[in-house]
Amino acid sequence: MRIALDAMGTDHAPSSEVGGAVAAVERDPGLEVLLIGDETAIERDLRARGSHNRITVLHTRQSIGPGDSPVSALRRNPRSSIRLGVELQRSGEVDAFVSAGSTGAVMAASLMALRLLPGVDRPALAAPFPTTEGRTLVVDVGANLQCKPQHLVQFARLASIYMQDVEGIGRPRVGLLNVGAEEVKGPGVLKVTHRLLARSDLNFVGNIEGRDIIHGACDVLVCDGLSGNVLLKFYESLAHFFFESFRSRLESDLLHARLEDHFREFDYAEYGGVPLLGVNGVCIVCHGASSDKAIGKAVGVATQVVRTGMVAHAERDLAAHRSA
């Protein structure tokens, strides 16, 4: 297993990436990590942590900033860490790519180099949300601000396969984010999507209201990227708000520790990164503020996706439904 890791993506690059790579290879004896970035800075950080023979470096100083136009920046920077990582996956030199850099650039590079799986019109970002019953995978959380019904159905299918292969849920329950539980609720796009999902072979459980997400009403929650991104950021900020509010009132260190443990699931560092579903490869996108821990977890997610053969599973499933 060889994972390419963009070492120029986080706010503290390459320190977070190096720390995450070291943690990942120490946890997984069958793993190699290729760090892509400024060799001098990476090697300096590696020496400070103790070098590792399963971590190698591919040198480049070209990077893409969050404010750059993704497509233009990729063309201007043919040796950017993002472009190199995706192209290495296309050529088979690595099994997956992980980046905390520009999400738009990772998507654009993936579309150009890896292409979409047959039967997929758009890629989607999927993020796990903690609930009282475990986790719900919300898709899309920012890749597509406007969606057609067929896009949402494709997202549901891809996310269901992810939950089967990576989370081990045999028949994931699929819900559609809406303003009411009744099938007649919501704009036309959601009404049509509801009908299509109800007719599909997916385990569709109907519309899901915002208040029901945290109670684990479904395993996969489908929505457009605008709604999903707002939901994701509100979820994270709400958890932080409650944690800080309660912590200031606690006098017991034991209670503080229990509270911290309870809210840990809301921390993006716990799941590390989110998969870009629908492309013919494995790309994991991380938060720009990712810590060593978050990067290490993201590499772990990438290895799970590769080892379960999720992309091949998705390709078979999509082909079966095209021919049906």
Side-chain angles (χ1 to χ4, degrees), residues 200-246:
S200 74
D201 62 334
L202 296 168
N203 186 15
F204 182 53
V205 296
N207 289 332
I208 302 295
E209 296 182 74
R211 65 188 176 191
D212 297 321
I213 300 170
I214 202 164
H215 299 298
C218 58
D219 302 303
V220 170
L221 182 66
V222 183
C223 57
D224 62 68
L226 177 62
S227 303
N229 192 265
V230 170
L231 187 63
L232 174 66
K233 290 173 180 175
F234 179 73
Y235 225 71
E236 289 179 344
S237 65
L238 187 65
H240 180 75
F241 168 75
F242 278 118
F243 177 71
E244 293 299 325
S245 297
F246 286 124

Coordinates of all heavy atoms in Angstrom, one line a residue, residues 200-246:
S200 N -35.9 3.1 -6.5 CA -34.6 2.4 -6.6 C -34.4 1.2 -5.7 O -35.3 0.9 -4.9 CB -33.5 3.4 -6.3 OG -33.4 3.6 -4.9
D201 N -33.3 0.5 -5.9 CA -33.1 -0.7 -5.0 C -32.4 -0.3 -3.7 O -32.0 -1.1 -2.9 CB -32.3 -1.7 -5.8 CG -30.9 -1.2 -6.2 OD1 -30.8 0.0 -6.3 OD2 -30.0 -2.0 -6.3
L202 N -32.1 1.0 -3.6 CA -31.5 1.5 -2.3 C -32.5 1.4 -1.2 O -33.7 1.4 -1.4 CB -31.0 3.0 -2.5 CG -30.0 3.2 -3.6 CD1 -29.8 4.7 -3.9 CD2 -28.6 2.6 -3.1
N203 N -31.9 1.3 0.0 CA -32.8 1.2 1.2 C -33.2 2.6 1.7 O -32.7 3.2 2.7 CB -32.0 0.5 2.4 CG -32.8 0.3 3.6 OD1 -34.0 0.3 3.6 ND2 -32.1 0.0 4.7
F204 N -34.1 3.2 0.9 CA -34.6 4.6 1.1 C -35.6 4.6 2.2 O -36.6 3.9 2.1 CB -35.2 5.1 -0.2 CG -35.6 6.6 -0.1 CD1 -34.8 7.6 0.3 CD2 -36.9 6.9 -0.5 CE1 -35.2 8.9 0.4 CE2 -37.3 8.2 -0.5 CZ -36.5 9.2 0.0
V205 N -35.3 5.5 3.2 CA -36.3 5.6 4.3 C -37.0 6.9 4.3 O -37.8 7.2 5.3 CB -35.5 5.5 5.7 CG1 -34.9 4.1 5.8 CG2 -34.4 6.5 5.8
G206 N -36.9 7.7 3.2 CA -37.8 8.9 3.1 C -37.0 10.2 3.4 O -35.8 10.2 3.6
N207 N -37.8 11.2 3.5 CA -37.3 12.6 3.9 C -36.8 12.6 5.3 O -37.5 12.0 6.2 CB -38.3 13.7 3.6 CG -38.6 13.9 2.2 OD1 -37.8 13.7 1.3 ND2 -39.8 14.3 1.9
I208 N -35.7 13.3 5.6 CA -35.2 13.5 6.9 C -35.1 15.0 7.2 O -34.6 15.8 6.4 CB -33.8 12.9 7.0 CG1 -33.8 11.4 6.6 CG2 -33.2 13.1 8.4 CD1 -34.6 10.5 7.6
E209 N -35.7 15.4 8.3 CA -35.7 16.8 8.8 C -34.4 17.0 9.6 O -33.8 16.1 10.1 CB -36.9 17.1 9.6 CG -38.2 17.0 8.9 CD -39.4 17.4 9.7 OE1 -39.5 18.6 10.0 OE2 -40.1 16.5 10.1
G210 N -33.9 18.3 9.6 CA -32.7 18.6 10.3 C -32.6 18.1 11.7 O -31.6 17.6 12.2
R211 N -33.7 18.1 12.5 CA -33.7 17.7 13.9 C -33.5 16.2 14.1 O -33.2 15.8 15.2 CB -35.1 18.2 14.5 CG -36.3 17.4 13.9 CD -37.6 18.0 14.5 NE -38.7 17.4 13.8 CZ -40.0 17.8 14.0 NH1 -40.2 18.9 14.7 NH2 -41.0 17.2 13.4
D212 N -33.7 15.5 13.0 CA -33.6 14.0 13.1 C -32.2 13.5 12.8 O -32.0 12.3 13.1 CB -34.7 13.3 12.2 CG -36.1 13.7 12.6 OD1 -36.4 13.7 13.8 OD2 -36.9 13.8 11.7
I213 N -31.4 14.3 12.3 CA -30.1 13.8 11.9 C -29.3 13.3 13.0 O -28.7 12.2 13.0 CB -29.3 14.9 11.2 CG1 -30.0 15.4 9.9 CG2 -27.9 14.5 10.8 CD1 -29.4 16.7 9.3
I214 N -29.2 14.1 14.1 CA -28.4 13.7 15.3 C -28.9 12.5 16.0 O -28.2 11.8 16.7 CB -28.3 14.9 16.2 CG1 -27.1 14.8 17.1 CG2 -29.6 15.0 17.1 CD1 -26.7 16.1 17.8
H215 N -30.1 12.1 15.7 CA -30.7 10.9 16.3 C -30.5 9.6 15.5 O -31.0 8.5 15.8 CB -32.2 11.0 16.6 CG -32.5 12.2 17.5 ND1 -32.1 12.2 18.8 CD2 -33.2 13.3 17.3 CE1 -32.5 13.3 19.4 NE2 -33.1 14.0 18.5
G216 N -29.7 9.8 14.4 CA -29.3 8.6 13.6 C -30.5 8.1 12.8 O -30.6 6.9 12.6
A217 N -31.3 9.0 12.2 CA -32.4 8.5 11.4 C -32.0 7.8 10.1 O -32.9 7.1 9.5 CB -33.3 9.8 11.0
C218 N -30.8 8.0 9.7 CA -30.4 7.3 8.5 C -28.8 7.1 8.5 O -28.2 7.7 9.3 CB -30.8 8.0 7.2 SG -30.1 9.7 7.1
D219 N -28.3 6.3 7.6 CA -26.9 6.0 7.5 C -26.2 6.9 6.5 O -25.1 7.2 6.6 CB -26.6 4.6 7.2 CG -27.2 3.6 8.2 OD1 -26.9 3.8 9.4 OD2 -28.0 2.7 7.8
V220 N -27.0 7.3 5.5 CA -26.6 8.1 4.4 C -27.6 9.2 4.2 O -28.8 9.0 4.1 CB -26.5 7.4 3.0 CG1 -26.2 8.4 1.9 CG2 -25.3 6.4 3.1
L221 N -27.2 10.5 4.3 CA -28.1 11.6 4.1 C -27.7 12.4 2.9 O -26.6 12.8 2.7 CB -28.0 12.6 5.3 CG -28.9 13.8 5.3 CD1 -30.4 13.3 5.4 CD2 -28.6 14.7 6.4
V222 N -28.6 12.5 1.9 CA -28.4 13.1 0.6 C -28.9 14.5 0.6 O -30.0 14.8 1.0 CB -29.0 12.3 -0.5 CG1 -28.7 12.8 -1.8 CG2 -28.6 10.8 -0.4
C223 N -28.0 15.4 0.1 CA -28.5 16.8 -0.1 C -27.5 17.5 -1.1 O -26.5 16.9 -1.5 CB -28.4 17.6 1.2 SG -26.8 17.5 2.0
D224 N -27.9 18.7 -1.6 CA -27.0 19.4 -2.4 C -25.8 20.0 -1.6 O -25.9 20.0 -0.4 CB -27.7 20.5 -3.2 CG -28.3 21.6 -2.2 OD1 -27.5 22.3 -1.6 OD2 -29.5 21.6 -2.1
G225 N -24.8 20.4 -2.3 CA -23.6 20.8 -1.6 C -23.7 22.1 -0.8 O -23.0 22.2 0.2
L226 N -24.6 22.9 -1.2 CA -24.8 24.1 -0.4 C -25.4 23.8 0.9 O -24.9 24.2 2.0 CB -25.8 25.1 -1.2 CG -26.2 26.4 -0.5 CD1 -25.0 27.2 -0.2 CD2 -27.2 27.2 -1.3
S227 N -26.5 23.0 0.9 CA -27.1 22.6 2.2 C -26.1 21.8 3.1 O -26.0 22.0 4.3 CB -28.4 21.8 1.9 OG -29.3 22.5 1.1
G228 N -25.4 20.9 2.4 CA -24.5 20.0 3.1 C -23.3 20.8 3.8 O -22.9 20.5 4.9
N229 N -22.8 21.8 3.0 CA -21.7 22.5 3.6 C -22.1 23.4 4.7 O -21.4 23.5 5.8 CB -21.1 23.4 2.5 CG -19.7 24.0 2.9 OD1 -19.7 25.1 3.3 ND2 -18.7 23.2 2.7
V230 N -23.3 24.0 4.6 CA -23.8 24.8 5.7 C -24.0 23.9 6.9 O -23.7 24.3 8.1 CB -25.1 25.5 5.3 CG1 -25.8 26.2 6.5 CG2 -24.9 26.6 4.3
L231 N -24.6 22.8 6.7 CA -24.9 21.8 7.8 C -23.6 21.4 8.5 O -23.5 21.3 9.7 CB -25.7 20.6 7.2 CG -26.2 19.6 8.2 CD1 -27.2 20.2 9.2 CD2 -26.8 18.4 7.5
L232 N -22.6 21.1 7.7 CA -21.3 20.6 8.2 C -20.7 21.7 9.1 O -20.2 21.4 10.2 CB -20.4 20.3 7.1 CG -18.9 19.9 7.4 CD1 -18.9 18.6 8.2 CD2 -18.1 19.8 6.2
K233 N -20.6 22.9 8.6 CA -20.0 24.0 9.4 C -20.8 24.4 10.7 O -20.2 24.7 11.7 CB -19.7 25.2 8.5 CG -18.6 24.9 7.5 CD -18.4 26.0 6.5 CE -17.3 25.6 5.5 NZ -17.2 26.6 4.4
F234 N -22.1 24.3 10.5 CA -22.9 24.6 11.7 C -22.7 23.5 12.8 O -22.6 23.8 14.0 CB -24.4 24.7 11.3 CG -25.3 25.0 12.5 CD1 -25.3 26.2 13.1 CD2 -26.1 24.0 13.0 CE1 -26.2 26.5 14.2 CE2 -27.0 24.2 14.1 CZ -27.0 25.4 14.7
Y235 N -22.7 22.3 12.3 CA -22.5 21.1 13.2 C -21.2 21.3 14.0 O -21.2 21.1 15.2 CB -22.4 19.9 12.4 CG -23.2 18.7 12.8 CD1 -24.6 18.6 12.8 CD2 -22.6 17.5 13.3 CE1 -25.4 17.5 13.2 CE2 -23.3 16.4 13.7 CZ -24.7 16.4 13.6 OH -25.4 15.3 14.0
E236 N -20.1 21.6 13.3 CA -18.8 21.7 14.0 C -18.8 22.9 15.0 O -18.3 22.8 16.1 CB -17.8 21.9 12.9 CG -17.4 20.7 12.1 CD -16.4 21.0 11.1 OE1 -16.1 22.1 10.8 OE2 -15.8 20.0 10.5
S237 N -19.4 24.0 14.5 CA -19.4 25.2 15.4 C -20.3 25.0 16.6 O -20.0 25.5 17.7 CB -19.8 26.5 14.6 OG -21.2 26.3 14.2
L238 N -21.4 24.4 16.4 CA -22.3 24.1 17.5 C -21.7 23.3 18.6 O -21.8 23.5 19.8 CB -23.6 23.5 17.0 CG -24.8 23.3 18.1 CD1 -25.3 24.7 18.5 CD2 -25.9 22.5 17.5
A239 N -21.0 22.2 18.2 CA -20.3 21.4 19.1 C -19.2 22.1 19.9 O -19.1 22.0 21.1 CB -19.6 20.2 18.4
H240 N -18.5 23.0 19.2 CA -17.5 23.8 19.9 C -18.1 24.8 20.9 O -17.6 25.0 22.0 CB -16.7 24.6 18.8 CG -15.6 25.5 19.4 ND1 -14.4 25.0 19.9 CD2 -15.6 26.8 19.6 CE1 -13.7 26.0 20.3 NE2 -14.4 27.1 20.2
F241 N -19.3 25.4 20.5 CA -20.0 26.3 21.4 C -20.4 25.6 22.7 O -20.2 26.1 23.8 CB -21.2 26.9 20.6 CG -22.1 27.6 21.5 CD1 -21.9 28.9 22.0 CD2 -23.3 27.0 21.9 CE1 -22.7 29.6 22.8 CE2 -24.2 27.7 22.7 CZ -23.9 29.0 23.2
F242 N -21.0 24.5 22.5 CA -21.5 23.7 23.7 C -20.3 23.3 24.6 O -20.4 23.4 25.8 CB -22.4 22.6 23.3 CG -23.8 22.9 23.0 CD1 -24.3 22.7 21.8 CD2 -24.6 23.5 24.0 CE1 -25.6 23.1 21.5 CE2 -25.9 23.8 23.7 CZ -26.4 23.6 22.5
F243 N -19.3 22.8 24.0 CA -18.1 22.3 24.7 C -17.5 23.5 25.5 O -17.3 23.3 26.7 CB -17.1 21.8 23.8 CG -15.8 21.3 24.5 CD1 -15.8 20.2 25.3 CD2 -14.6 22.0 24.4 CE1 -14.7 19.8 25.9 CE2 -13.5 21.6 25.0 CZ -13.5 20.5 25.8
E244 N -17.3 24.6 24.9 CA -16.7 25.8 25.6 C -17.6 26.3 26.7 O -17.2 26.7 27.8 CB -16.3 26.9 24.6 CG -15.2 26.5 23.7 CD -13.9 26.2 24.4 OE1 -13.6 26.8 25.4 OE2 -13.2 25.3 23.9
S245 N -18.9 26.3 26.4 CA -19.9 26.8 27.4 C -19.9 25.9 28.7 O -19.9 26.5 29.8 CB -21.3 26.9 26.8 OG -21.3 27.8 25.7
F246 N -20.0 24.6 28.4 CA -20.0 23.7 29.6 C -18.7 23.6 30.3 O -18.7 23.5 31.5 CB -20.5 22.3 29.1 CG -21.9 22.2 28.8 CD1 -22.3 21.7 27.6 CD2 -22.9 22.6 29.7 CE1 -23.7 21.6 27.2 CE2 -24.2 22.5 29.4 CZ -24.6 22.0 28.2

